[in-house]
Amino acid sequence: MHSTPFLIADSGSTKTDWVAINPGSDMIRFQSAGINPFYQTAGEIIPVLENQVLPHLGEDIDSIFFYGAGCADEKSGRPVYDALKHCIPSARIVETASDMLGAARGLCGHEPGLACILGTGANNAFYDGKNIVHSIGSLGFWLGDEGSGSYLGKTLVVHYLQNELPAALHQSFAAEYPEINRLSVLEHAYKKPYPNRYFASFSKFISDNIEHPFINDLVREAFQIFIKKYICKHKDPEKYPVHFTGSVAYYYQDILKAALQKSGLKPGRILKSPLEGLVQYYL
């Protein structure tokens, strides 16, 4: 139990959810842009903290617990640590850890289980109630992230560019994204920063058309690939609840639950963000 003001962050590549807690008074919740040290230096993170985080903070923060994509270990999380220490010098304790550990603690609390992320990216882990003890490592946007928002968007765009969408769906996509063509997509994919965010932005079209059989099948097949590639490689996965966090898991949870049950797995908690669970974990 923390008795001094502390700050928790759950960061993906697209956005960061924050909660500032002063035990005995109100919690302050807010969002900032995503922070990922795989793509950003400390110098690039500092303006995000100064402009989007500091204005929300009142009393001096004593401890910061930052869970984020790209913070696999102490070395990889160093840019975030340095930026936080620079911007919030009152913090005696600054801990950075992977978004996967944050998801596991937020989803499972102090109980064992399988914890998965399906947001802009994708990840998975077996959690023993304290720590992650096994994970099928995520290979990121270009080599993995099956089932994620970026994967779904990439799959949709490829179908569109290769004239594989049903005619009515093709026309709807063309009307909504008139600027999309082979060259513009290749530029975003190979020359511009954050291709994962770019492709994940097409999730809106998927959401708007989720009742269309083609789109429904696209999402279902992506989830089946995620289950086969990741969840089923853990030891005895059917013995534990399979929890999820992330916008893709949350908004398509009916399809996800059906895919899990078809594979003989037990759906657990499905949360848009693990932050609520993390608050309970620390309190």
Side-chain angles (χ1 to χ4, degrees):
M1 170 73 183
H2 285 267
S3 58
T4 52
F6 64 101
L7 184 64
I8 305 173
D10 171 57
S11 184
S13 294
T14 302
K15 65 175 177 63
T16 305
D17 291 316
W18 301 82
V19 58
I21 303 169
N22 186 9
S25 65
D26 294 337
M27 299 180 191
I28 302 170
R29 301 170 187 272
F30 55 96
Q31 284 186 345
S32 75
I35 294 172
N36 189 331
F38 188 79
Y39 298 110
Q40 295 164 293
T41 64
E44 291 169 324
I45 295 168
I46 286 171
V48 177
L49 297 176
E50 289 178 337
N51 297 323
Q52 300 179 33
V53 176
L54 295 186
H56 295 276
L57 303 181
E59 298 194 36
D60 286 347
I61 297 295
D62 181 72
S63 307
I64 304 171
F65 305 100
F66 185 98
Y67 296 95
C71 296
D73 52 31
E74 188 176 335
K75 182 180 178 183
S76 58
R78 190 76 198 187
V80 177
Y81 177 90
D82 290 343
L84 287 167
K85 288 292 282 185
H86 174 84
C87 293
I88 309 175
S90 64
R92 292 182 307 107
I93 299 169
V94 176
E95 293 183 3
T96 64
S98 69
D99 56 342
M100 192 64 252
L101 182 59
R105 287 177 171 171
L107 288 166
C108 304
H110 299 282
E111 299 294 325
L114 284 153
C116 305
I117 297 173
L118 283 177
T120 300
N123 212 336
N124 69 99
F126 178 74
Y127 175 77
D128 67 0
K130 292 184 179 180
N131 295 296
I132 288 171
V133 293
H134 185 242
S135 177
I136 312 300
S138 170
L139 295 175
F141 171 68
W142 285 118
L143 301 178
D145 276 354
E146 293 88 350
S148 70
S150 59
Y151 178 89
L152 292 172
K154 179 173 64 174
T155 305
L156 174 69
V157 169
V158 169
H159 280 312
Y160 172 72
L161 292 176
Q162 296 183 342
N163 295 313
E164 294 168 347
L165 295 180
L169 211 55
H170 186 100
Q171 291 168 5
S172 296
F173 188 92
E176 189 161 340
Y177 303 102
E179 75 284 0
I180 295 295
N181 57 54
R182 177 176 166 274
L183 292 178
S184 69
V185 168
L186 290 175
E187 183 175 359
H188 277 281
Y190 295 106
K191 292 185 178 180
K192 292 194 174 181
Y194 308 115
N196 53 340
R197 293 185 192 175
Y198 170 73
F199 285 102
S201 70
F202 295 100
S203 291
K204 181 183 182 301
F205 185 87
I206 292 172
S207 178
D208 290 344
N209 294 276
I210 194 62
E211 298 302 326
H212 193 289
F214 186 93
I215 296 294
N216 202 277
D217 285 347
L218 185 153
V219 174
R220 179 178 49 79
E221 288 168 10
F223 289 164
Q224 288 173 339
I225 293 170
F226 178 86
I227 290 167
K228 181 181 177 182
K229 275 188 166 288
Y230 301 104
I231 299 173
C232 289
K233 289 179 182 175
H234 291 279
K235 185 180 180 182
D236 301 326
E238 69 283 352
K239 290 184 178 179
Y240 300 94
V242 186
H243 306 288
F244 282 84
T245 185
S247 56
V248 170
Y250 182 78
Y251 287 116
Y252 307 134
Q253 59 182 281
D254 291 344
I255 302 173
L256 179 57
K257 287 176 183 175
L260 288 166
Q261 289 164 343
K262 185 178 180 182
S263 297
L265 299 166
K266 193 163 40 178
R269 301 173 77 192
I270 300 179
L271 306 179
K272 191 174 179 182
S273 164
L275 205 57
E276 192 63 45
L278 279 170
V279 169
Q280 296 306 314
Y281 179 86
Y282 281 102
L283 288 177

